[in-house]
Amino acid sequence: TLLWEERFALAVFYYATTGDGWSNNDGWMTAAGVCSWIGIDGCNADDSVTKIALTLPYGNDYGLVGDLPDELRALTNLEWLQFSKNSLAYRVRLSCYYLFTNPLPLALQISW
């Protein structure tokens, strides 16, 4: 059940940040396992997501726009969340703070 909850949370995230407009959305919203989706850079032995890194080098971005959905709370093993060089609104930072404060994983690292 956990993996289906994570898949649902990632789907909500995709649509909340205009995933169809990302510069690269390979694998997203397909039947492929979420660990093979572009930007899902880490999964544990149970295929639970531990790292999301949607950023590109050289000043380019993925084109993420919008808010972080509360459904990301389902990613209980998430340790790394990176969206630097994207155009996410300031309110995303606040929602991200509230999103992970109950409880905040000690190892969670967030990069804008």
Side-chain angles (χ1 to χ4, degrees):
T1 347
L2 176 63
L3 295 182
W4 282 107
E5 290 173 9
E6 287 192 2
R7 180 179 283 272
F8 175 76
L10 291 168
V12 173
F13 166 76
Y14 178 85
Y15 288 114
T17 58
T18 63
D20 287 340
W22 295 356
S23 60
N24 187 350
N25 59 11
D26 290 349
W28 286 79
M29 306 315 300
T30 67
V34 299
C35 296
S36 68
W37 296 358
I38 194 79
I40 304 297
D41 287 357
C43 287
N44 64 19
D46 296 324
D47 288 331
S48 182
V49 175
T50 59
K51 181 178 181 180
I52 301 174
L54 290 167
T55 186
L56 296 170
Y58 312 115
N60 297 319
D61 66 34
Y62 266 81
L64 277 70
V65 176
D67 297 317
L68 290 179
D70 288 341
E71 286 80 1
L72 285 182
R73 290 178 192 233
L75 304 177
T76 57
N77 293 305
L78 188 65
E79 299 173 353
W80 183 273
L81 187 60
Q82 184 174 16
F83 301 121
S84 57
K85 299 183 180 135
N86 280 287
S87 301
L88 296 172
Y90 178 75
R91 65 183 173 274
V92 171
R93 295 179 190 168
L94 292 177
S95 67
C96 192
Y97 170 77
Y98 291 110
L99 183 64
F100 294 107
T101 54
N102 195 12
L104 179 65
L106 294 179
L108 180 65
Q109 298 183 37
I110 301 171
S111 173
W112 304 100

